[in-house]
Amino acid sequence: MRKIFFIKPNISNLNICLPVGSFLILLSFLDIFLNTFYNLNPSFFIIGPVNKVLPLLLGMIGFYLIRIEYSGKKYLDIFNKKINLNNFNALCTLIISFSIIKIMPIFLSWFIIDANFVGDNKDACTGSGACWVYIKVWFERFIYGMYPASEIWRINISFILIIVFGLFGLFSNEKIKRYLILYYAVVYPILAFIIIYFLVSGGVFNLEWVQTNAWGGLSLTFIVAFFALIFCFPIGLFLALGRRSKLIAVRYVSIGFIEFWRGVPLITVLFMSAVIFPLFLPSGVYIDTLVRAIFAIALFEAAYIAEVIRGGLQALPKGQYEAARSLGMGYWKSNYLIILPQALKIVIPGIANTFLALVKDTPLIFVVGLLEIVGMTNLAKTNPKWLGLAMEGYIFAGLIFFLICYVMSKYSQSLEKKLSSER
Amino acid sequence: MAKIIELKKVNKWFDKFQVLKDIDLDVSSQEKIVICGPSGSGKSTLIRCINRLEEHQEGNIVVDGTELSENTKNIEKIRAEVGMVFQQFNLFPHLSVLDNCSLAPIWVKKLPKKQAEEIAMNNLKRVQIDDQALKFPGQLSGGQQQRAAIARALCMEPKIMLFDEPTSALDPEMIKEVLDVMVDLAKGGMTMIVVTHEMGFAKEVADYMIFMDEGKIVERAKTKEFFENPKSDRTKLFLSQIL
Ligand SMILES: Nc1ncnc2c1ncn2[C@@H]1O[C@H](COP(=O)(O)OP(=O)(O)O)[C@@H](O)[C@H]1O
Ligand SMILES: [Mg+2]
């Protein structure tokens, strides 16, 4: 078959191919752009089905023309390698870009152009787009739940304190570095608990007592996720070690625990924490619903963390254990110094995965009557004055969850990179 | 001379399979013993029983006056006195060579960090890789890694050193640098039990040779006699294959 294109783009005809190709690509994008945003059809003079695929055709020819190997132009080479490697690659690039351009107006109009931002009740939402007024009016509730408005500063202060204490590790020098694990594993959780207990809960120092069922919204999401995360990791760690222990009792208790918690749905666990668990408590002893919910989630996720960590422990060669033992290190020392640093490094992605799952599981605490951000949106959408605005609320909550999870995921990636470059 | 290691009628099974059969062995302080024998004959298992990485089921093993049994409380103390070098080096990949060496002295012997690092540097110098101290094991050649592993064991200042085929995982051109270090160590008066097929090394340093087959010690003899006048046919056959 004769070659369709008489020009074979290469470095010798770069000066023709590159401008012509770029021009054609520009034309194709211009066509799509005008089509979507201004409803114009610049290629009206071409009729029939060709008109529909014209941008694709122009783009393909353009991409073909600029596909020049070793052009000597750095950016062109990178461009070709990444998104214009061959005709199929170019086609994918074009289709994806065009689709994004085509979809954009729908999103833009709903999110911004036709959306309503001003006003303070539902009647202000006259446009066909999103009613962000709703989010604006309910914002405080979405963040702080039913916490009394005049006391909200207490939540803010405690979160700032917790963050400040959490950043401690960044400013530590060599001398205190060895105590950091102790700090984060023991001191920090206690500190955080004290802060939340006295400042957010109140009841002392002339602070009004705020019951936990008034807590809610994003701040509750953070509180639940934070404590559940902090508790589930050490519990999971010991379960993982226990499952591989030589002591039969320890091993079977660990296996039983892990399999039990992995075998029941979280929602059941939360129910049990609310309904059945109090029956086992001696009379007079009362444990707050929130505390019970946090422990239910922590124990549930601990079982998953344990299995993730066990995977890491099993991935280590037996020689590492033997070398540690042969140097006179006992069980705890060899685990602490040799085994866990390596095993945990391997399973960072798995741990991050479980942590993300934990954060996304927090909305389930609605079954014990606690309303974090999703719970609050659920509540708000049933408010008679704001009916029919579920979509905005869920998108808002979804975006916030996405943000939290994205940050966590990025952090785990950077941690992975940092640790793997350390060797 | 005082016996530092004594094995009497040691038997060991993996499930139903008997790996060690009636092993009798004693080693005096400063003696060097080389163990050879076909693959699967139980050489590794034997020396791993001496620092109790493996447990024996019958017989007695006494190391430096302490009998090894399930009731041994201070097994860590014994292990700290017995250095071990593995075929696969088993360096800790997440630590620098220096940290590999100073870790156990700091955490097991409770030495101050500065002193432990001094000891580590001295031993790294002794095996001639002090210039690699800050590198990680993955950045070293096989020969350098094995020398680092020897230095790591020496940092605990052990009374006995066990070597399990220390050169078998090495490229031929690196074997010599490791053997040189071991010869040096032998000349320094260390008590050594070495599983190896490097017969040149054996002839140079060993006081006694042991030939094992199918879990038994088939022959134990002074080095010269072992090579010049082996008694058992199996030893003769083995030597003829290996030399
Ligand atoms: N952990 C184990 N479980 C079961 N069998 C083993 C184990 N370790 C070694 N063996 C068996 O014991 C025998 C002796 O092994 P080993 O002491 O490693 O021999 P050598 O070091 O002389 O090659 C071999 O047959 C081997 O398969
Ligand atoms: Mg072996």
Side-chain angles (χ1 to χ4, degrees), chain B residues 39-45 48 87 164-165 195:
Chain B
S39 169
S41 56
K43 309 179 294 294
S44 299
T45 310
R48 288 156 60 88
Q87 185 176 348
D164 190 0
E165 306 206 30
V195 175

Side-chain angles (χ1 to χ4, degrees), chain A residues 239-291:
Chain A
L239 284 173
L241 292 175
R243 189 164 188 163
R244 290 165 58 85
S245 170
K246 278 206 184 99
L247 308 169
I248 292 179
V250 174
R251 184 161 75 236
Y252 281 102
V253 167
S254 305
I255 292 177
F257 186 96
I258 291 171
E259 295 306 334
F260 171 77
W261 290 93
R262 288 206 307 165
V264 286
L266 181 55
I267 201 159
T268 334
V269 175
L270 285 167
F271 260 126
M272 289 196 298
S273 82
V275 184
I276 302 178
F277 180 71
L279 303 180
F280 291 101
L281 288 178
S283 62
V285 177
Y286 175 76
I287 297 179
D288 191 88
T289 319
L290 178 59
V291 175

Side-chain angles (χ1 to χ4, degrees), chain A residues 318, chain B residues 12-15 17-20 35-48 54 87 164-165 195 197 212 215:
Chain A
K318 219 172 129 214
Chain B
K12 174 167 177 62
W13 288 263
F14 284 121
D15 290 324
F17 174 70
Q18 188 167 7
V19 223
L20 298 180
I35 304 178
C36 60
S39 169
S41 56
K43 309 179 294 294
S44 299
T45 310
L46 173 61
I47 66 167
R48 288 156 60 88
E54 301 283 358
Q87 185 176 348
D164 190 0
E165 306 206 30
V195 175
H197 294 148
M212 281 185 76

Side-chain angles (χ1 to χ4, degrees), chain A residues 41-345:
Chain A
N41 188 359
S43 52
F44 61 91
F45 49 88
I46 299 170
I47 34 177
V50 182
N51 187 309
K52 290 263 182 294
V53 292
L54 185 71
L56 217 50
L57 216 62
L58 289 176
M60 287 300 285
I61 299 173
F63 270 132
Y64 175 81
L65 288 176
I66 66 166
R67 196 178 303 136
I68 298 161
E69 274 184 84
Y70 309 115
S71 63
K73 295 199 190 308
K74 197 171 144 221
Y75 291 106
L76 182 62
D77 282 345
I78 294 174
F79 181 84
N80 280 335
K81 205 166 146 196
K82 299 273 187 209
I83 61 177
N84 188 21
L85 199 57
N86 49 40
N87 282 330
F88 177 70
N89 201 200
L91 187 68
C92 292
T93 303
L94 282 173
I95 289 179
I96 291 171
S97 322
F98 289 171
S99 309
I100 291 174
I101 294 175
K102 283 272 183 200
I103 295 171
M104 243 162 45
I106 305 173
F107 271 97
L108 279 179
S109 67
W110 193 82
F111 271 90
I112 296 168
I113 297 169
D114 295 331
N116 302 279
F117 295 92
V118 280
D120 49 14
N121 58 39
K122 197 186 169 192
D123 298 332
C125 294
T126 47
S128 57
C131 180
W132 297 127
V133 177
Y134 165 68
I135 304 294
K136 204 174 72 184
V137 171
W138 282 85
F139 189 75
E140 217 171 82
R141 292 272 161 269
F142 287 157
I143 305 296
Y144 300 104
M146 298 302 178
Y147 206 83
S150 60
E151 305 291 317
I152 279 171
W153 62 270
R154 282 157 54 181
I155 296 187
N156 293 339
I157 297 277
S158 27
F159 277 32
I160 291 171
L161 281 178
I162 289 177
I163 291 172
V164 168
F165 282 120
L167 294 177
F168 235 64
L170 296 180
F171 307 105
S172 64
N173 56 19
E174 273 300 315
K175 236 181 199 160
I176 47 176
K177 220 168 191 166
R178 49 194 307 192
Y179 300 110
L180 270 189
I181 293 181
L182 188 73
Y183 173 71
Y184 279 114
V186 184
V187 181
Y188 185 52
I190 295 176
L191 219 55
F193 179 79
I194 292 175
I195 291 170
I196 297 287
Y197 186 80
F198 286 111
L199 213 52
V200 181
S201 190
V204 282
F205 309 131
N206 283 332
L207 292 173
E208 184 193 333
W209 184 46
V210 184
Q211 275 193 325
T212 51
N213 53 19
W215 305 12
L218 184 63
S219 55
L220 184 64
T221 307
F222 279 135
I223 291 174
V224 171
F226 176 82
F227 284 106
L229 283 182
I230 268 193
F231 292 134
C232 81
F233 184 74
I235 299 172
L237 185 62
F238 282 109
L239 284 173
L241 292 175
R243 189 164 188 163
R244 290 165 58 85
S245 170
K246 278 206 184 99
L247 308 169
I248 292 179
V250 174
R251 184 161 75 236
Y252 281 102
V253 167
S254 305
I255 292 177
F257 186 96
I258 291 171
E259 295 306 334
F260 171 77
W261 290 93
R262 288 206 307 165
V264 286
L266 181 55
I267 201 159
T268 334
V269 175
L270 285 167
F271 260 126
M272 289 196 298
S273 82
V275 184
I276 302 178
F277 180 71
L279 303 180
F280 291 101
L281 288 178
S283 62
V285 177
Y286 175 76
I287 297 179
D288 191 88
T289 319
L290 178 59
V291 175
R292 277 182 273 150
I294 287 175
F295 270 96
I297 296 178
L299 292 176
F300 181 84
E301 302 292 349
Y304 286 88
I305 290 278
E307 287 298 278
V308 170
I309 294 178
R310 188 166 69 98
L313 293 174
Q314 259 160 0
L316 282 199
K318 219 172 129 214
Q320 291 291 308
Y321 292 84
E322 290 176 350
R325 289 303 171 84
S326 77
L327 288 167
M329 295 181 196
Y331 179 80
W332 295 110
K333 274 179 201 158
S334 40
N335 269 307
Y336 174 68
L337 297 169
I338 308 300
I339 307 304
L340 288 177
Q342 296 184 62
L344 293 179
K345 189 157 92 182

